[in-house]
Amino acid sequence: MVSQTTELAAQPGGVFRQLSVLDRFLPVWIFAAMAAGIILGKVFPDLAPALDSVKLDTVSLPIAIGLLWMMYPVLAKVKYGKIPGIVSNWKMSGTSLALNWIIGPALMFILAWLMLPDHPEYRTGLIIVGLARCIAMVLIWNMLACGDNEYAAVLVAINSLFQIVMYTVLGYFYLTIVPGWLGAQGVALNVSMGDIAKSVLIFLGVPLAAGFLTRLILERLKGEEWYETRFMPRLGPTAIIGLLFTIVIMFSLKGEVILERPLDVVRIALPLVSYFVIMFVVSFGLSYLLKFPYPDTATISFTAASNNFELAIAVAIAVFGLASSEALATVVGPLVEVPYMYRCGWDADCTPTTRSGRPNRSRKAPRKVSDYYDLAGAYNRAPAAGFPCTDESPLSLTPCEGLYCARSKGQVKGKRGMAVSYEKIARGFRPLAELVPAHWQAGDMAAPDGTRLHYTRTGGGKPPVLLLHGIQVNGLVWLRTARALEADYDVVMPDFRGHGASGGLENGFSAEVLVNDTRALIAGLGLDSPFVVGHSMGAEIAGRLAAVQPARTVVLVEPALQNFMAQMPPMDGAPSWMEPIFETIRALKSLPHAERMAAGLRLLPPGTPPWDEADYVSFVEAQAACDPAVFRHAAKLGCLFEAPDVIARIAAPMLLLTARSMMPGAGVEAGLAAFQNHWREGRHVHFEDAGHFLMCDQFERFIMVVRDFLRARGTPA
């Protein structure tokens, strides 16, 4: 027997608690870096020419080093395997393109003409800034706001390509053609596409390649869990150091000009402030109305509101000269953008939480936009109506904590005490059909006794992974997990009989029956020694299956560690305390989608944190498709920990994932010991602050642990 030491999964928590002192006081350091740069430029007047004498492309070498330095850690954090799925979402990509290349340049043009009618040179400089879409610092702002890093990388790449093609074209349109329509003299912008392409290749291509190779090589050598929990926490903070270094150098080069014309700087800053505020608010509001998830909304907003001031400054200097008014206008850009974008990143960031992952209620804890944005992003939360908490229940449901408890009112206090209804949030979730990828396959086959067995499959001829669900749900409850694994695996998600689209319980329901059903499915689909992952009831079946069927690995997610049914008195059907749950399940079947999503909130266990849309929708739809009668047969499933001979026959490496128990007591330790004392090769990871559906409560940690375990057994790296 090989019994590995129990491991504790990384604790969840708010972004603020995870930040270093450098990150927490970033506004102070940013303004200090600006001041330091200006002072250096003033005290050492020969410093600026010296720093600017050596260039990489058209940018001062020290600034170029800073830009590459601050972008590399952010791009090393990107999960490149998720990018193909992101690119296929044309609704979000189209929205971003419209904001960046239609609304953004037009808005800057309008503001420049309205606020600087008597300064055509400054006006031209601002228009140059408005045409340059950000490809560098936006990655920092997005990271601070808990945006989607992978989506940010995609938008940066798309904007870079558009920048190569469209910058000169739009420059000619806004600086030559449109002023002519207004009766003013136009300006020629003589910048070639080749020059812009070279700049993009250096300042995006180099750190992008470095980040991609870093993740690719180190994940193969050390695993994703090590990369995310050990390497990135050390590398990530250096991006802020690179940012501060860039700011110091930039303001040391241009600080003297800013000091010489303070009133002009204020005049230039006014349209810039207006631009950043309007673009961010419009982008965030539009994304909210289009029901984009919070991380994507943050990413779209920052890419739309930020600008590539490095390119704008380089173009202004190349066309109009270093001492020109056009160049001064572009230099004021980062003076306004850096503190404002940082502030937006901080306000959009997720709410800080305490060490246990619960909301930080202290007076100093800031409340963020995401406090009341959506179910996945609302971190300042309180209980909501639903799950029964009575003295009859053998489960430990008190004190009632988390979102869902019958003693509360279904609301959460958001920013400044704003009451936010989770029902309203849930009603806006998309139907399940829109969340399931169109290329996935669905099919049916017959069990040995003729019962219909339904399954969903990602396909692709890759190593097979079998995902087995728990009681009262179905195969698509693994939707988010399957989307994360399908790049490397052929993921198969069957519905057990009595669940989902499979047949009913007429021909029986027991552990032996479900194992035989699963074996028939494996044979019928030609799955050769699959990886088997099971949750709850599915974990029981996965373990018993692996004892009689060849498997590469078996992952047991929250199997029973106590005999739940043994704690109940003999009964005919379900206990009375569960009847409200079954009433809700029966009611779900006839409700329209929005109403079903709202009613489904009552079914989540106490202590449940906000779930991702895919997790929540698939869970509620699975409950609606379930036959509540399956619970009457639950006693026939048995408990794997009570069958040490079965555990001992499992030849495949075993990963046991556990969370906090709703049935605390010594029995839990005894159940765990039964696994550890009898498995041949096993590893135990405990998710301390997760509930029974730990793959939904702490998805990122769950998928890292599972993926690393599968990869260690000879699967794709």
Side-chain angles (χ1 to χ4, degrees), residues 410-639:
Q411 290 186 331
V412 57
K413 291 295 183 180
K415 192 170 184 179
R416 297 173 183 169
M418 180 183 294
V420 183
S421 168
Y422 277 119
E423 289 192 7
K424 181 178 180 181
I425 296 166
R427 289 174 192 275
F429 284 158
R430 291 170 288 176
L432 183 61
E434 295 183 18
L435 301 175
V436 177
H439 65 274
W440 286 10
Q441 309 158 16
D444 298 299
M445 61 180 302
D449 60 10
T451 301
R452 183 180 73 257
L453 299 177
H454 183 78
Y455 65 88
T456 305
R457 185 176 189 177
T458 63
K462 302 161 188 171
V465 173
L466 192 63
L467 301 181
L468 305 180
H469 63 80
I471 198 165
Q472 292 183 211
V473 289
N474 61 30
L476 281 176
V477 78
W478 292 105
L479 171 61
R480 196 177 180 199
T481 299
R483 291 194 312 202
L485 294 177
E486 69 167 321
D488 296 323
Y489 304 96
D490 177 8
V491 184
V492 180
M493 297 157 281
D495 295 347
F496 287 128
R497 61 177 64 198
H499 298 75
S502 287
L505 306 175
E506 298 81 6
N507 295 323
F509 185 86
S510 67
E512 182 181 2
V513 168
L514 297 186
V515 168
N516 289 335
D517 287 352
T518 308
R519 295 184 72 180
L521 182 79
I522 291 172
L525 296 180
L527 307 180
D528 181 25
S529 298
F531 300 89
V532 183
V533 182
H535 171 252
S536 193
M537 177 185 73
E540 296 287 331
I541 305 308
R544 295 176 186 276
L545 174 71
V548 297
Q549 175 88 23
R552 302 193 196 190
T553 63
V554 57
V555 180
L556 307 182
V557 184
E558 272 286 283
L561 296 179
Q562 282 184 290
N563 193 328
F564 173 71
M565 298 303 297
Q567 300 186 37
M568 294 185 178
M571 60 186 179
D572 180 17
S576 59
W577 64 268
M578 290 198 72
E579 189 55 36
I581 297 176
F582 294 150
E583 287 181 3
T584 299
I585 292 174
R586 287 189 287 268
L588 291 178
K589 299 179 184 297
S590 59
L591 292 176
H593 175 73
E595 297 297 327
R596 182 181 296 173
M597 292 298 105
L601 293 171
R602 305 187 185 108
L603 297 174
L604 293 184
T608 300
W611 283 359
D612 178 85
E613 179 187 36
D615 288 330
Y616 179 73
V617 173
S618 60
F619 171 82
V620 174
E621 293 295 350
Q623 295 281 348
C626 173
D627 181 356
V630 298
F631 190 84
R632 300 188 184 118
H633 300 269
K636 301 176 184 178
L637 297 173
C639 292

